[in-house]
Amino acid sequence: MENAAQQQSGDPFVAPHPEQARAERVYASLFRIAERHAATAEQRARQAHPSVLGPHEAVRLVSFLLSGAAKLDEDEPEVDRSDITAALSLVPLMRGEMDELEAGLLRMARGRGMTWPDVAFGLGLATPQAARQRCARLAERTHDAGSDGRSDAGVAAPSAGAATE
């Protein structure tokens, strides 16, 4: 059911009930940005994957257009408030996708024998403990678990005072 603001404007980018609106805006956001700023082959060439506009590419595209890092085509509409709202609507989805990618990469790194100090170095973290904690947080956020229910590709969480690998 649409709220009064949506009924008045007909614009899915006007702030209604947050949970319902966010779900409805995700695809509308992708389509809006793709239609307005990725409609031609030249416009799509600005993206990493020119045939499909993903959430991270839509956010990146709007950011680049706003900042001047990418230029609007002659007949392309200016980035407007609704484009910005559409991009912002995609940020949680984009963040979730990045969390999934990072969690998977961490599982694969550990599965290939990388130690916690190796992982910490790769992530730019100061300690192996920080890398383990990050992995645990990602696993919790992504509901990621190894086949035995542990969050780190079968590597048990460290006990207090456990030596680093």
Side-chain angles (χ1 to χ4, degrees):
M1 182 174 170
E2 292 183 331
N3 70 14
Q6 276 184 310
Q7 288 173 353
Q8 286 178 344
S9 71
D11 189 344
F13 302 101
V14 173
H17 296 90
E19 301 84 22
Q20 178 185 1
R22 180 160 307 282
E24 293 171 359
R25 281 196 319 259
V26 168
Y27 292 108
S29 296
L30 284 170
F31 287 124
R32 177 187 175 82
I33 294 167
E35 183 177 87
R36 290 173 50 84
H37 303 291
T40 68
E42 280 184 359
Q43 290 173 335
R44 287 189 301 275
R46 299 182 289 203
Q47 297 146 202
H49 192 284
S51 62
V52 177
L53 185 66
H56 65 286
E57 291 171 321
V59 171
R60 179 182 162 275
L61 177 57
V62 169
S63 296
F64 280 17
L65 290 170
L66 283 170
S67 71
K71 300 295 181 205
L72 291 167
D73 286 348
E74 188 176 307
D75 295 331
E76 185 175 359
E78 291 288 327
V79 175
D80 62 15
R81 186 181 189 105
S82 290
D83 291 332
I84 298 167
T85 301
L88 289 169
S89 297
L90 295 169
V91 169
L93 181 61
M94 179 183 74
R95 184 175 292 119
E97 288 180 356
M98 294 307 296
D99 285 351
E100 292 283 341
L101 286 170
E102 185 177 356
L105 187 57
L106 286 168
R107 271 193 326 276
M108 290 183 279
R110 292 292 292 157
R112 297 259 177 139
M114 288 184 72
T115 65
W116 285 114
D118 294 335
V119 172
F121 176 77
L123 292 172
L125 300 173
T127 66
Q129 180 183 8
R132 285 180 182 228
Q133 291 170 342
R134 182 179 185 106
C135 186
R137 283 191 305 272
L138 281 168
E140 193 174 297
R141 281 200 309 260
T142 62
H143 307 293
D144 185 25
S147 60
D148 62 359
R150 291 180 285 184
S151 65
D152 177 24
V155 178
S159 60
T164 59
E165 297 172 12

